[in-house]
Structures are given as structure tokens and as C-alpha cells.
Amino acid sequence: DQQVKQNSPSLSVQEGRISILNCDYTNSMFDYFLWYKKYPAEGPTFLISISSIKDKNEDGRFTVFLNKSAKHLSLHIVPSQPGDSAVYFCAASDLGGNQFYFGTGTSLTVIP
Amino acid sequence: EAGVAQSPRYKIIEKRQSVAFWCNPISGHATLYWYQQILGQGPKLLIQFQNNGVVDDSQLPKDRFSAERLKGVDSTLKIQPAKLEDSAVYLCASSLGLVRPTEAFFGQGTRLTVV
């Protein structure tokens, strides 16, 4: 039972343009969300998080938006750079929960 | 600050053999996770420790998988006997979180191939 879904396995974007990666979840108890970035042969690295008391969190070129009513979050990367090419995972947990539930990932390719 | 260390990086074994993976978390991190990532899927939690106690092992196939975290620091994950479907990357992660999850920091993983 996949509680966190990333329906786009891949995305290609031109350098300098915006990348938008989407994530949907089914468990309404989830209240903390994270994005991880993964390069080949490396472990995932934490990118940005958001709690359910917010609907937006920014960190430099990365912004995460949360729409609780739609159970949807998105990661915006502006401007996209070739070094952003990686697999991006979203993850979620609930208050008092002990684990993160990961999506299946979206492979982003930024074309120079 | 040193990251999460895992070894070995790669392992190839035959089915029915046993294998063990080692993880050294970030110093001071109370919570340690073992995840299994099958190709094309997201990481799936196998077991979570808080200090040296097990918090969640509901998705650990206990007939063949075992894990321990001695003294609340290093951890080992063992598979015995291995099956073909155990081929995956095994990721160890650690986090500060005691009361609730905070971001976890991952090691590079061990890629296991069972032939």
C-alpha cells in the first residue's frame, strides 16, 4: 500500500527554467514532509522539509508547497541547474509516528 | 561532521548464503534506521532503533533478517539465508529525533546482489 506517490517517474527541464516535482499522499495523519535528492551510487540527501502548519517553505532555489486539502505537495526548483539532475524522493511522517514513508522517486534531468 | 558510514559498498552472494551489513551513525544521533531500496522503488523501512531499543520492526522479514544495535551506536543487519528478491540497496540512516522524526541522514548504502 503506497501511501506516498510520485506519479511522474521522470522529468526533463531546460537549464534556467523551473522544475516542478509533484507528490501525493493518502494518509491524512501525515503532518511532516521532506524532499530528498539522490545521486547515483550515493545515499539520499535531505533537501527541504515542511510541516503541516505551513503551506510554503523556501530555501534558496528550492521551495516546497503543501496543499493539505488536496493531500499534495510539490517541489519547485528555480532556476534549474544541470547539477540538480538527480532522483528526488518525497517522504512523509505523522505526528508521533516513527518512520518516513517514501515515494518511488522522480528522476530529474536538467538539460544544459 | 562525519556522515553515516556503511560497509561494504557492494556485495554479491549466492542464494541461501548469509550476509551482514554494518552501519556507524552520526555521533549523537539516537535514532537509527535500516531501509531496503529495490530498484525503481522508494526506500522501505525495515527496522528503526532508538538508542539500542527497537522502535519498529514491523516490516522486517524476521524469518531471515535480523538486526542489532549494540550500545546504542553501531548497528548490523544480517540476512540468513538470502533469497533472490533480497537484491537491493540497503541504506542506513540516522537522525536526532527522539520525540518525533526529524530529517534523517543517509549513508551511501550497500548494494546487495543475490545470484
Side-chain angles (χ1 to χ4, degrees):
Chain A
D1 180 27
Q2 193 73 26
Q3 298 192 58
V4 178
K5 299 177 184 177
Q6 294 176 257
N7 292 319
S8 297
S10 62
L11 175 68
S12 290
V13 171
Q14 286 291 133
E15 181 178 5
R17 307 292 289 267
I18 184 171
S19 296
I20 300 176
L21 295 93
N22 294 305
C23 179
D24 296 292
Y25 60 95
T26 58
N27 189 338
S28 58
M29 299 303 291
F30 286 154
D31 73 335
Y32 184 61
F33 305 89
L34 310 93
W35 284 93
Y36 281 85
K37 175 178 176 180
K38 185 182 182 304
Y39 292 119
E42 294 184 13
T45 55
F46 170 72
L47 194 56
I48 192 168
S49 65
I50 187 167
S51 76
S52 59
I53 61 173
K54 293 184 170 183
D55 54 16
K56 176 182 172 181
N57 190 26
E58 261 182 283
D59 184 1
R61 297 185 297 113
F62 302 90
T63 303
V64 56
F65 295 91
L66 176 62
N67 182 335
K68 291 184 289 294
S69 60
K71 296 193 185 68
H72 176 84
L73 65 154
S74 60
L75 175 68
H76 292 210
I77 306 174
V78 184
S80 300
Q81 299 174 355
D84 297 329
S85 296
V87 177
Y88 290 79
F89 292 97
C90 69
S93 74
D94 59 2
L95 181 62
N98 294 313
Q99 65 166 293
F100 301 107
Y101 295 87
F102 281 83
T104 51
T106 297
S107 178
L108 173 67
T109 302
V110 180
I111 304 163
Chain B
E1 178 183 84
V4 175
Q6 288 189 248
S7 68
R9 288 295 309 277
Y10 305 93
K11 191 74 178 178
I12 301 174
I13 61 172
E14 295 182 349
K15 59 184 179 184
R16 291 187 291 274
Q17 285 188 320
S18 62
V19 65
F21 313 127
W22 173 84
C23 173
N24 186 5
I26 293 173
S27 177
H29 280 195
T31 306
L32 185 147
Y33 311 82
W34 282 102
Y35 284 88
Q36 179 192 59
Q37 186 177 13
I38 293 172
L39 187 65
Q41 299 182 18
K44 183 186 84 170
L45 181 71
L46 291 175
I47 188 168
Q48 178 184 348
F49 294 93
Q50 192 116 302
N51 297 309
N52 60 353
V54 175
V55 174
D56 186 346
D57 63 356
S58 57
Q59 298 189 86
L60 187 74
K62 298 181 187 63
D63 57 334
R64 299 184 301 106
F65 286 65
S66 63
E68 60 182 6
R69 189 182 184 194
L70 299 175
K71 300 179 183 177
V73 182
D74 291 9
S75 178
T76 56
L77 175 70
K78 296 178 182 177
I79 308 175
Q80 181 180 7
K83 292 185 175 181
L84 296 175
E85 59 260 36
D86 298 332
S87 294
V89 175
Y90 290 84
L91 294 161
C92 178
S94 68
S95 70
L96 278 171
L98 288 174
V99 175
R100 63 158 304 143
T102 57
E103 57 267 24
F105 295 83
F106 284 82
Q108 291 181 297
T110 297
R111 180 176 295 278
L112 173 67
T113 303
V114 183
V115 298

